[in-house]
């Protein structure tokens, strides 16, 4: 079962927010299933995956550590108007 996160005060959300604003030198924020798949194929370390509560991508990366963000949180992290439903923290 995925841990659902709906509050901005959550530590996991703050890790994604720090990566988005490039305040976290250890990880980068990867957006979308294609870029995440490329990161995996390139043998980068995936620390955490966040999926939108309405995303079809929930099961695609089931082998990775994952959390589920409320849609409003996911939208606030995305760089595009219509997000792709999946984000990842990658080393």
């Amino acid at each position: 079962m995925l841990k659902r996160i709906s509050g901005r005060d959550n530590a996991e959300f703050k890790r994604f927010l720090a990566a988005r604003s490039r305040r976290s030198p250890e990880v980068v924020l990867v957006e979308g299933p294609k870029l995440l798949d490329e990161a995996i194929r390139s043998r980068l370390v995936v620390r955490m995956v966040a999926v939108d509560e309405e995303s079809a991508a929930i099961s695609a990366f089931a082998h990775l550590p994952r959390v589920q963000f409320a849609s409003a949180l996911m939208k606030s992290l995305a760089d595009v108007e219509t997000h792709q439903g999946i984000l990842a923290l990658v080393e």
Side-chain angles (χ1 to χ4, degrees), residues 26-54:
E26 302 88 29
V27 293
V28 294
L29 186 66
V30 172
E31 187 170 350
K34 289 181 183 179
L35 287 178
L36 177 53
D37 192 47
E38 183 62 34
I40 293 168
R41 282 198 313 266
S42 297
R43 300 182 192 270
L44 298 177
V45 177
V46 178
R47 290 292 173 203
M48 182 63 70
V49 174
V51 294
D52 185 272
E53 61 190 351
E54 299 173 2

Side-chain angles (χ1 to χ4, degrees), residues 42-76:
S42 297
R43 300 182 192 270
L44 298 177
V45 177
V46 178
R47 290 292 173 203
M48 182 63 70
V49 174
V51 294
D52 185 272
E53 61 190 351
E54 299 173 2
S55 175
I58 290 174
S59 63
F61 299 97
H63 62 288
L64 298 170
R66 300 172 300 147
V67 292
Q68 186 178 41
F69 286 155
S71 291
L73 295 181
M74 199 68 151
K75 187 175 181 179
S76 72

Side-chain angles (χ1 to χ4, degrees), residues 74-85:
M74 199 68 151
K75 187 175 181 179
S76 72
L77 290 170
D79 281 335
V80 294
E81 182 85 19
T82 305
H83 65 80
Q84 298 180 48

Side-chain angles (χ1 to χ4, degrees), residues 2 5 13 15 19 22 25 36 42 44 65-66 68 87:
L2 287 176
I5 297 170
F13 175 75
R15 285 181 57 206
R22 295 175 179 89
L36 177 53
S42 297
L44 298 177
R66 300 172 300 147
Q68 186 178 41
L87 300 166

